[in-house]
Amino acid sequence: MIHYSIIIKSKHWPKRLKKIDRIIQLILKHKKLFNFNKNIIYYCNFVLMNDSLIKKFNRLYNKQNKITDVLTFVYNIKKKINKNEKYCDIMLSAEILAKDAIKNKINFYDHITHIIVHSLLHVSGYKHIKNNDYLIMIKKEIKILNNLGISNPYF
């Protein structure tokens, strides 16, 4: 089971809130493709912010003093009952996402969909530290995006 909330921390997002919520709902309709663990209850916060704020989080938690499009943090909590819980924060910056969409000549909302899919794959356990893992994750992203009607973002 996946529960989510949307938290707005920037003036760049309120007019986009309904569309972002619909995107998240659509993605979660395809949750089987992510291979989420059925014995875990997921609680995800989608934190919609700006470049300045995401840079602060990137510096604080990743020791990188730069802007990024998304940060994904996952916390595991073990319960005594047969269920475990994962809490996650997916932080998105509107400004860099918009710049990247323009630079790559792709629709802004298609780009956000891709980034959310990428982050949710991290939540479900996918990593891309090694090259082979990266290729597996890209293949999974492309498959999910295809199911959402979005073409391969890597070509």
Side-chain angles (χ1 to χ4, degrees), residues 29-150:
K29 284 182 181 177
H30 298 271
K31 66 183 175 189
K32 288 183 180 179
L33 297 173
F34 288 85
N35 299 326
F36 286 106
N37 186 325
K38 291 177 183 148
N39 295 318
I40 295 176
I41 299 171
Y42 296 86
Y43 298 92
C44 293
N45 293 316
F46 291 89
V47 186
L48 309 178
M49 54 181 53
N50 60 25
D51 283 357
S52 174
L53 192 53
I54 206 163
K55 183 178 180 180
K56 286 179 186 178
F57 278 93
N58 202 17
R59 181 174 53 239
L60 181 64
Y61 294 104
N62 294 333
K63 308 297 185 235
Q64 295 185 28
N65 191 28
K66 63 180 185 177
I67 299 165
T68 186
D69 52 0
V70 65
L71 293 170
T72 306
F73 299 100
V74 181
Y75 320 94
N76 295 309
I77 297 179
K78 295 192 180 216
K79 295 278 189 166
K80 291 182 181 179
I81 308 172
N82 293 329
K83 293 279 183 183
N84 291 327
E85 295 178 348
K86 277 193 181 186
Y87 292 84
C88 55
D89 294 315
I90 298 172
M91 302 174 177
L92 301 156
S93 176
E95 296 159 292
I96 192 76
L97 288 166
K99 289 175 195 170
D100 288 347
I102 290 167
K103 183 177 94 178
N104 295 315
K105 299 177 182 163
I106 55 177
N107 176 280
F108 176 75
Y109 291 106
D110 287 353
H111 184 50
I112 288 175
T113 303
H114 174 213
I115 297 304
I116 292 172
V117 165
H118 181 88
S119 292
L120 287 171
L121 283 169
H122 281 305
V123 170
S124 71
Y126 288 84
K127 298 183 184 334
H128 51 75
I129 297 168
K130 297 177 185 174
N131 191 47
N132 190 46
D133 295 334
Y134 179 71
L135 295 173
I136 290 168
M137 193 167 174
I138 286 175
K139 186 176 178 181
K140 191 66 135 167
E141 284 176 21
I142 293 167
K143 181 178 181 179
I144 294 167
L145 291 170
N146 189 302
N147 275 273
L148 296 169
I150 298 173

